[in-house]
Amino acid sequence: MVSVSQLGYVGIGISDEKAWHDLATNILGMQVVPGDDKSTSYLRMDEYHHRMELRLNGSDDLEFVGWEVPDSAILQRVAQQIEEGGMKVTAGTRDEVDDRRAIDLIKCVDPNGISTEVFWGHPVNQQPFHPARPMSGFKTGDMGLGHILVHARSLDESVRFYRDLLGFRISDFTDVNAPGGKVRLAFLHCNARHHSIAFIEAPRAPKRINHILFECNSLNDVGSGRDLCLSRGVPVAIDLGCHMNDHMVSFYMANPSNFALEYGWGGRTIDDASWQVEHYTAFDSIWGHAQLRDVVASMAPGKK
Ligand SMILES: [Fe+2]
């Protein structure tokens, strides 16, 4: 079994490019990189050409996810694992590979309908990354872009796909009895980041994506980002707190596509040699995240 090594990039369908660029630069601190045509632009947050691709297509949802592998040999082995697991694999088109600025990629559709790409050869921008607002930059590197929380049609099918076909390891499971029924989550890692993808079983959720996390290099970046949200009228969906499982100190802001962006610092890392899968039976954070319990409980099976 081989594993993908990191969350390389995500593609988001948007309907308001100006608002996205304003949020990305003036609050998050990312750089906008022009795309090849008017309907595409990129967001840069480290030495990669981009970590996010924005497509002006009105979907306001996650369009595709790119998982990086070190080289073509590992790419072929991952493709083989996916096919042996009974899922269809196709080669990326020349346009797709060029669009991602990668060397090669393969594609399949995950159990939640998400276009899932595995690629190698990310383009390095040799010019140092300069945040677009005063902040100390993002913790990416070997741990990748950050993490995504996906609304799963089936938690078990999602875990099977990412663990058994892409090589992820389980960080923890959360099962909580809420007034509307049991809410189930799973958190998975493919490198030292506590989780690069997580699932909440919510088959009726209107969007595939719940939130994307960006981890900053300093706690002050999180605090100053929150100040900017308050002063510029960007809604804070879940206020400051520290998560029980990954120990991330973070808050969640709204974005123009109406899902959340988590802005955090200080997440703990995982050593596979000693990690033992954890089980949580409550939503509570170590402190703060005041709105989290209600947000998660609203996704219980009996809630609309
Ligand atoms: Fe998160």
Side-chain angles (χ1 to χ4, degrees):
M1 162 85 55
V2 292
S3 166
V4 298
S5 46
Q6 64 159 284
L7 177 56
Y9 55 75
V10 293
I12 307 291
I14 62 167
S15 52
D16 189 340
E17 188 178 60
K18 186 171 176 298
W20 260 102
H21 288 180
D22 181 50
L23 183 78
T25 55
N26 293 316
I27 295 190
L28 299 172
M30 297 177 184
Q31 289 179 315
V32 174
V33 178
D36 302 320
D37 57 54
K38 282 191 176 148
S39 62
T40 303
S41 58
Y42 299 102
L43 301 178
R44 183 184 176 198
M45 53 190 291
D46 58 11
E47 84 281 2
Y48 279 50
H49 173 267
H50 66 277
R51 290 288 195 172
M52 293 180 72
E53 180 175 332
L54 304 179
R55 291 181 169 184
L56 194 55
N57 63 10
S59 77
D60 288 311
D61 201 355
L62 184 64
E63 294 276 311
F64 56 86
V65 178
W67 299 101
E68 185 163 4
V69 292
D71 55 35
S72 74
I74 303 291
L75 185 72
Q76 294 315 315
R77 290 178 66 187
V78 172
Q80 196 178 349
Q81 283 174 188
I82 297 170
E83 283 182 332
E84 286 171 2
M87 310 284 281
K88 188 172 183 316
V89 175
T90 55
T93 66
R94 195 65 248 166
D95 279 352
E96 286 166 338
V97 174
D98 289 348
D99 190 53
R100 314 295 188 265
R101 308 298 201 268
I103 294 177
D104 197 10
L105 69 87
I106 55 139
K107 300 186 297 182
C108 62
V109 179
D110 90 341
N112 308 300
I114 295 170
S115 180
T116 298
E117 303 176 354
V118 183
F119 75 98
W120 68 281
H122 75 262
V124 177
N125 186 333
Q126 68 274 28
Q127 300 301 318
F129 170 69
H130 290 295
R133 70 151 177 110
M135 53 93 69
S136 59
F138 297 97
K139 192 162 189 170
T140 53
D142 293 346
M143 298 204 299
L145 182 167
H147 70 231
I148 54 176
L149 175 59
V150 167
H151 295 133
R153 294 172 184 165
S154 158
L155 195 80
D156 297 336
E157 281 300 303
S158 299
V159 167
R160 177 184 166 271
F161 176 80
Y162 285 88
R163 180 191 59 197
D164 299 347
L165 308 188
L166 295 188
F168 281 77
R169 284 80 70 195
I170 306 295
S171 308
D172 57 72
F173 290 109
T174 299
D175 299 287
V176 179
N177 288 315
K182 184 169 273 198
V183 181
R184 303 172 68 214
L185 298 96
F187 297 77
L188 288 79
H189 63 276
C190 60
N191 54 47
R193 186 181 293 288
H194 178 276
H195 56 281
S196 291
I197 191 164
F199 304 96
I200 181 164
E201 194 162 57
R204 293 192 314 277
K207 291 181 192 288
R208 301 181 186 116
I209 187 74
N210 177 280
H211 73 264
I212 305 172
L213 161 105
F214 309 111
E215 185 173 7
C216 302
N217 285 327
S218 161
L219 178 59
N220 288 337
D221 302 330
V222 178
S224 58
R226 181 178 176 280
D227 283 351
L228 286 165
C229 284
L230 298 181
S231 66
R232 298 175 73 99
V234 174
V236 171
I238 299 175
D239 212 343
L240 270 180
C242 181
H243 280 301
M244 58 186 180
N245 61 353
D246 67 357
H247 298 181
M248 191 76 70
V249 176
S250 64
F251 74 96
Y252 296 65
M253 68 185 83
N255 72 48
S257 294
N258 202 27
F259 58 90
L261 299 177
E262 183 180 6
Y263 204 57
W265 168 83
R268 68 167 160 163
T269 56
I270 280 182
D271 176 359
D272 274 312
S274 57
W275 186 258
Q276 301 188 74
V277 174
E278 296 184 333
H279 185 219
Y280 293 89
T281 55
F283 300 134
D284 307 286
S285 288
I286 295 171
W287 57 267
H289 285 147
Q291 301 86 348
L292 179 65
R293 177 188 289 262
D294 288 345
V295 169
V296 178
S298 72
M299 284 183 244
K303 295 279 180 179
K304 293 216 169 142

